[in-house]
Amino acid sequence: MRRWRALIAVWRGALCLVLGLVLCWPVVSSLAAPGGGGVEGRPVVAVIAQHRKLADLGVKAANVMLQSGVLTGTATVGNVGAHRAPSSTAGVAWKSADSGGTIQIGRFRVSALAPSQQDKAHFRVAVPKGASGSYVVSVCADVLGQVRELSKKNNCRKAGTVTIRPGSGVKGYGPTGPEQPPSSPPPGGTTPPAGTGPAPVSSPPDTVIDSGPTGIIGASSATFTFHGSDADDTFQCSLDGAPWAVCTSPQQYISLADGPHTFQVRTVNAAGEVDATPASASFTVEAIPPQITITSAPHGRIPIGLVSISFSADEAGSTFKCSLDGGVFTPCSTPYEVASPAAGPHTFTVEATNQAGVTGAASHLASWSSVEPQHDLCGTIASNVTIGPDYAARYVITCSVDVSASVTLTAQPDTVIKADNGTNLSVQGLLDVAGTSASPVVFTSINDNSAGGTTGTGKPAAGDWQGVVVSGAGSVAMTSSVVKYAATGLEGTTSGSVSVIDGQWGEFSYGGLAVSAGAVTVRGSTVLDSGNRPAFSVFSENLNLDQLTGNSATGGLPAFFVSGTVSTSSTWHSEGAPGLLGPPGCGAGLTVASGVTVTVEAGAVIKGGTTNYIGNCGGPGGALTVLGTLDVAGTSASPVVFTSINDNSAGGTTGTGKPAAGDWQGIIATPSSTENPVVMLEHASVSYATTGLDATTNRQVTVQSDSLAHNGVAVDIAATIGTNAAIHETWFDENGVALAGSSDWNPVATPVTSCEFRLSCTGCR
């Protein structure tokens, strides 16, 4: 009865191994003999625990490829058991895809593996001699039975299929044939039983490049990573055929020259064996940006029309992007063509990118101007415009043109503008004439064929066109200009500014310049044949006489008419065009403002007339009114001359040649609301005035080394307490009255201890 119970217990114990220890715990407990006995003398629980602590190898992944008669590949072997697996031997086997059994053809080593650890092992196996056809290659773990495993079922995995050409085998043991894989060794054994198949093939070291550049690269550095067959392998590297040198992964090279390069690496195993077939990688460096050469392109000013530009790069296979006039770069090819360019300057830029993606710096490689033969101007210019020889060979005003307020019309150097009969250029915005001495801007008649080609009769005349007219708040800035054959070169009234510098003007009916403006500058300009009006006529309440200098005039009325108020201390310079004063009664006189000093330069000629050339009104004669200080600084060799417009003996022909006393009013010094004036005349000549000097002041009046002639009254001084009047070495001649004076001094109210009056004159009356 006990024997049957024992047998039942054994069977139930076996069933426990299948169904689980928990369900069978009572049975397992009953198997434990009092003497410690059990199955094979050990408790069943102990047997189960021991099995659970075994290693369990499995091939997780495998691949294979055929290279020069050698099978190369990798196998990932993992330990899914609970116990460490010692280093073991894996096998490579193949089987003909058509028929036949599996033959082991090589072996390789797998490192020791802790639980859950994996090893990616590499193998190289020579193709057996005489092999041909297609073969299925598989990899098996622990083919020598060196590891006690929980299961052998997951030890093998297919690595791939290879096709062998006849005669490509390099090693072997004769014709291939069926061979059974070696059987597992007995527990604890290390040597498989002898078989009839071939002995294992030795696997020499192998090298694999994992990463690195290939093809064409745009960097001058390169980095390679690689590995060998075993963890203890070492490596040797060579670049471009250089001697082999010890290296490690990763291997980096810097400052590589542009051009092709070849990197090689080989493995040396622990036994000193060297990989006979080093791994290699070839690449080409193109780190230097490509350089562009323009082989054909326009330049300078060319007639408007088709433009073609050809170019090339110094690196074959480069691609191009082009930009016209600063626009977006777009893909292009050579030749680049612009079918209908707009009139004006153009720039062409091209950039090249080599096969490595390196782009050279873009730059303006071609520039030109597409020029119309003629461009007509007519009507309103409502937006900013630049005109010049880069746009048209000439411009023709076919009907009157108006530059709107807040709009700028800019004329480049060498611009030629011709005006049809009776037309004008009206400016309410800004006219910016930017000529140079070598390339002035020309405004002329349509009939003037000397500039801009043949456009008219060839017989231009004063008054062919109306000229430039400024109005509203318009401004005109003209540098190095030529203005000819207009009624008036530049005229009008504006709150803006007018500037004429280095002008060469001529042939007018009613003067060259006649403007009333917020600010006026006229320097270094010449007017020829101004007609019946002064060459220059200006009015401003903000005059600075230093800005009216270096000018000259011949023909017509060669004078510079100045009216308004001098608001900045400045100098009235001696120049080729005499100054001309108008009557203050109609706003044409010239006033030196309170607090302002006007110095008259030696040699200056200032004439007084009876006409307001800005406002077309007449009066009793021109006058210079002084509210501030007038310092006339002549010399004996170069006296300052104040005279009549009709006196042609000084400053050229400006009038009838028959001057008379009273032609102009003279110099009038009168107190302002803030101060009394100061007048200092030294080496001055004052003639043909109503009163040469009429001064009312409690300050200084000095008449020193002067000549006063042909005046109604030469000097008239209205003095008060504090007046310091001195007249020395002065010539008085042919005056109605040489000296006149008055004073509000009351000697009773304000007695003085002494008073001295001295008169030194010649020809006094």
Side-chain angles (χ1 to χ4, degrees):
M1 194 65 177
R2 288 181 180 176
R3 181 178 180 183
W4 283 107
R5 288 179 179 174
L7 288 174
I8 292 172
V10 169
W11 283 106
R12 292 184 66 179
L15 184 60
C16 284
L17 292 176
V18 178
L19 297 180
L21 183 61
V22 175
L23 296 177
C24 302
W25 178 252
V27 177
V28 173
S29 299
S30 66
L31 291 177
V39 179
E40 298 184 0
R42 292 177 294 171
V44 175
V45 173
V47 173
I48 295 173
Q50 181 177 350
H51 276 278
R52 287 187 174 179
K53 290 182 181 180
L54 293 178
D56 190 1
L57 298 180
V59 179
K60 303 296 184 180
N63 61 76
V64 68
M65 62 183 301
L66 179 65
Q67 291 182 329
S68 304
V70 177
L71 298 178
T72 62
T74 61
T76 301
V77 179
N79 179 8
V80 297
H83 194 272
R84 178 180 179 276
S87 176
S88 60
T89 300
V92 179
W94 71 1
K95 176 182 179 182
S96 173
D98 297 328
S99 61
T102 299
I103 303 174
Q104 188 179 108
I105 57 175
R107 295 172 185 162
F108 59 94
R109 185 168 62 87
V110 175
S111 302
L113 298 174
S116 302
Q117 187 180 3
Q118 295 182 354
D119 179 26
K120 186 176 182 180
H122 300 262
F123 61 84
R124 295 180 75 246
V125 178
V127 173
K129 185 184 297 182
S132 65
S134 295
Y135 291 85
V136 177
V137 180
S138 59
V139 176
C140 294
D142 192 28
V143 295
L144 299 183
Q146 298 164 309
V147 180
R148 294 182 60 83
E149 294 187 71
L150 188 63
S151 172
K152 295 287 187 179
K153 294 181 179 180
N154 55 351
N155 279 27
C156 295
R157 181 177 290 273
K158 177 182 175 181
T161 302
V162 296
T163 301
I164 311 298
R165 297 192 307 272
S168 61
V170 295
K171 289 184 180 180
Y173 313 94
T176 60
E179 175 186 0
Q180 297 298 321
S183 58
S184 299
T190 59
T191 303
T196 59
V201 178
S202 173
S203 296
D206 184 31
T207 313
V208 176
I209 295 176
D210 297 314
S211 66
T214 59
I216 299 174
I217 64 172
S220 59
S221 61
T223 301
F224 295 89
T225 61
F226 41 84
H227 66 268
S229 302
D230 297 314
D232 54 358
D233 288 340
T234 60
F235 303 94
Q236 297 175 349
C237 296
S238 170
L239 182 68
D240 299 333
W244 292 97
V246 174
C247 60
T248 58
S249 179
Q251 174 67 23
Q252 184 180 38
Y253 297 94
I254 61 173
S255 301
L256 296 174
D258 268 26
H261 297 277
T262 299
F263 169 74
Q264 291 182 294
V265 58
R266 64 187 183 184
T267 300
V268 180
N269 64 17
E273 295 179 295
V274 178
D275 186 354
T277 57
S280 67
S282 295
F283 59 100
T284 299
V285 173
E286 289 188 1
I288 298 176
Q291 301 297 310
I292 297 174
T293 300
I294 297 290
T295 57
S296 175
H299 65 278
R301 294 167 182 162
I302 63 172
I304 195 166
L306 174 68
V307 171
S308 180
I309 303 171
S310 298
F311 46 86
S312 62
D314 62 354
E315 294 187 29
S318 293
T319 58
F320 302 97
K321 287 186 176 181
C322 298
S323 169
L324 183 65
D325 299 333
V328 176
F329 280 88
T330 57
C332 61
S333 59
T334 184
Y336 180 90
E337 292 187 342
V338 184
S340 301
H346 296 282
T347 56
F348 169 78
T349 308
V350 59
E351 62 182 23
T353 302
N354 63 21
Q355 295 184 77
V358 178
T359 300
S363 60
H364 293 309
L365 298 177
S367 60
W368 75 97
S369 292
S370 295
V371 180
E372 295 179 290
Q374 176 175 311
H375 186 86
D376 293 341
L377 299 174
C378 180
T380 300
I381 297 177
S383 60
N384 296 342
V385 173
T386 297
I387 62 176
D390 286 339
Y391 299 86
R394 64 174 176 256
Y395 291 82
V396 175
I397 299 177
T398 58
C399 74
S400 292
V401 173
D402 179 27
V403 180
S404 299
S406 302
V407 171
T408 298
L409 173 62
T410 302
Q412 295 177 325
D414 265 337
T415 301
V416 176
I417 303 170
K418 293 188 171 187
D420 213 341
N421 296 333
T423 62
N424 65 43
L425 174 58
S426 175
V427 180
Q428 298 181 51
L430 170 63
L431 173 62
D432 183 8
V433 175
T436 66
S437 58
S439 302
V441 175
V442 176
F443 294 82
T444 189
S445 164
I446 190 74
N447 296 316
D448 181 6
N449 296 336
S450 67
T454 300
T455 52
T457 65
K459 297 179 180 181
D464 274 356
W465 64 297
Q466 295 301 306
V468 179
V469 179
V470 62
S471 62
S475 293
V476 175
M478 303 180 74
T479 301
S480 295
S481 60
V482 174
V483 182
K484 299 188 293 184
Y485 304 113
T488 302
L490 171 58
E491 66 173 329
T493 299
T494 178
S495 60
S497 62
V498 172
S499 172
V500 178
I501 299 174
D502 297 332
Q504 301 297 314
W505 295 15
E507 307 298 334
F508 304 109
S509 301
Y510 307 111
L513 174 70
V515 294
S516 172
V520 179
T521 297
V522 184
R523 299 200 310 266
S525 297
T526 298
V527 173
L528 305 177
D529 298 322
S530 63
N532 61 9
R533 297 291 184 91
F536 307 94
S537 299
V538 301
F539 173 88
S540 177
E541 295 291 355
N542 301 289
L543 288 172
N544 178 345
L545 297 177
D546 287 323
Q547 298 301 317
L548 308 176
T549 182
N551 305 295
S552 62
T554 58
L557 181 49
F560 200 126
F561 177 78
V562 183
S563 60
T565 301
V566 180
S567 60
T568 301
S569 295
S570 51
T571 298
W572 195 324
H573 295 270
S574 173
E575 52 188 30
L580 187 59
L581 301 172
C586 62
L590 181 64
T591 299
V592 178
S594 177
V596 172
T597 297
V598 168
T599 302
V600 183
E601 190 176 61
V605 177
I606 301 171
K607 297 186 177 186
T610 58
T611 303
N612 179 0
Y613 294 100
I614 298 297
N616 285 325
C617 67
L624 174 58
T625 301
V626 181
L627 303 180
T629 299
L630 176 65
D631 182 6
V632 178
T635 66
S636 58
S638 299
V640 173
V641 176
F642 292 89
T643 189
S644 164
I645 189 173
N646 294 316
D647 181 5
N648 296 336
S649 67
T653 301
T654 54
T656 64
K658 298 178 180 181
D663 276 355
W664 65 297
Q665 292 190 55
I667 301 171
I668 303 172
T670 185
S672 70
S673 61
T674 58
E675 68 173 342
N676 277 258
V678 173
V679 177
M680 295 173 285
L681 296 180
E682 186 173 356
H683 291 291
S685 172
V686 183
S687 305
Y688 304 110
T690 300
T691 301
L693 172 60
D694 185 355
T696 300
T697 182
N698 64 0
R699 299 176 70 191
Q700 179 182 357
V701 176
T702 300
V703 179
Q704 174 73 44
S705 303
D706 298 319
S707 173
L708 291 99
H710 308 290
N711 300 291
V713 176
V715 177
D716 187 351
I717 300 175
T720 186
I721 294 177
T723 299
N724 181 7
I727 302 174
H728 300 290
E729 300 176 358
T730 295
W731 176 264
F732 293 83
D733 188 21
E734 299 295 327
N735 298 290
V737 176
L739 292 173
S742 64
S743 175
D744 62 359
W745 170 53
N746 184 339
V748 176
T750 311
V752 295
T753 57
S754 64
C755 178
E756 180 181 6
F757 175 77
R758 293 185 299 172
L759 174 63
S760 173
C761 64
T762 303
C764 296
R765 289 187 182 182

